[in-house]
Amino acid sequence: MNRKQMRNRTVLLSASLLAGMAIGLWMNERMPERQELPAAAKAADEPAGASQTAGADAADMRHGHGHDDAADDAASGATDMSGMAASADTAAWAWPDGAPQAGQASTLRVTITDAAGKPDAGLRVNHEKKLHVIVVSQGLSTFLHLHPAETAEPGVFEGAVTFPSAGRYKLIADFTSADGTQQWRSAWVRAEGGGGARLEEPALAVDKRLERTADGVAVKLSFDREPKAGEAVKLAFSFADAASGEPVRDLQPYLGAAGHVVILGAGADDYLHTHAMSAAGGPVAEFHATFPKPGLYKLWGQFQRNGRVLTVPFVVEAA
């Protein structure tokens, strides 16, 4: 190869190299930058639970503190029977004087906190009270409807609770937020020792006759149709004098209503607190309810006469 040929080959190689570099730079400018995966996609690659924290076990309330378990219901898609909303508000439960002992009055402190984690100062009065606390034993044979008083700090409530027997109880905080939404939060607590024997509860069974007598008043419960899951049903309580059979017409308002009905599923899970549609007096008080799923439910109707609260329980089944 002579000198002229070598020079021509060198020029050709140089031109090819420059062209390749130019093409590479042009392609680099045209290609999009690498994008990060969405957070959800990243999380899917993490080991299960790697970025999650376990919620506090409400059963630990026997040591003096506890948190609500309604958030777990919301996470699983469960809802209560009235459609009361799961909200940003939560409840913290504490026993300032120590773990509760059966047969002895124990101080319960309930703090309703907002989305910022601060006591909610905007709770509304609902049926004469800002907070209703329902207490039931695990087998639903014990029922209490309490109203802890708000302390000097808004959103913080305290009141006395006496568990009649040793055992496990569910506490339900029922309240209304500033926007008018009715909400509930719950937790389990165990009452130990004290002055009460351990609670032995019979298994729930449907009442064959929906009739009860309380303080000389005969109370009958009826439905406008067979209760079926997911369908609204009307409950009617009728009242008569147990001795004479004459209709009772002197029932008094109780907490701003002709009556209250609390309903819980057999596992103390599904919860409804509903109020009478009619005015106080009697001889009939009507309510509406929707049972969310088939199964057994226990309900407690509460009414007032001569300044005394009548509580009548019934066990029913939804098909």
Side-chain angles (χ1 to χ4, degrees), residues 64-244:
H65 298 277
H67 298 278
D68 63 275
D69 62 2
D72 295 334
D73 295 337
S76 66
T79 59
D80 66 283
M81 292 175 283
S82 66
M84 292 191 293
S87 75
D89 278 17
T90 58
W93 312 76
W95 303 91
D97 300 332
Q101 297 292 306
Q104 302 176 18
S106 301
T107 300
L108 169 64
R109 178 183 297 149
V110 186
T111 303
I112 306 300
T113 56
D114 57 22
K118 298 179 180 180
D120 192 339
L123 298 180
R124 289 189 180 186
V125 173
N126 181 32
H127 286 275
E128 301 184 0
K129 304 292 181 180
K130 283 189 177 181
L131 179 66
H132 300 258
V133 171
I134 303 299
V135 181
V136 293
S137 55
Q138 187 167 8
L140 305 182
S141 62
T142 295
F143 172 85
L144 303 172
H145 183 172
L146 309 173
H147 303 100
E150 192 167 25
T151 66
E153 183 177 8
V156 180
F157 302 80
E158 287 190 358
V161 182
T162 301
F163 298 102
S165 305
R168 198 163 179 249
Y169 295 83
K170 191 165 195 176
L171 312 177
I172 300 170
D174 187 331
F175 56 94
T176 300
S177 59
D179 64 2
T181 304
Q182 190 177 0
Q183 305 166 30
W184 65 278
R185 292 291 181 264
S186 63
W188 288 96
V189 63
R190 186 178 298 279
E192 300 288 359
R198 181 160 298 280
L199 184 63
E200 298 294 338
E201 301 185 272
L204 285 186
V206 176
D207 288 325
K208 296 180 180 180
R209 293 173 59 87
L210 298 180
E211 301 178 4
R212 289 283 187 276
T213 299
D215 282 352
V217 178
V219 184
K220 294 183 180 181
L221 170 64
S222 62
F223 295 89
D224 65 338
R225 68 185 71 180
E226 179 187 3
K228 292 185 178 181
E231 297 182 6
V233 65
K234 183 168 68 177
L235 298 76
F237 291 80
S238 59
F239 307 89
D241 183 273
S244 67

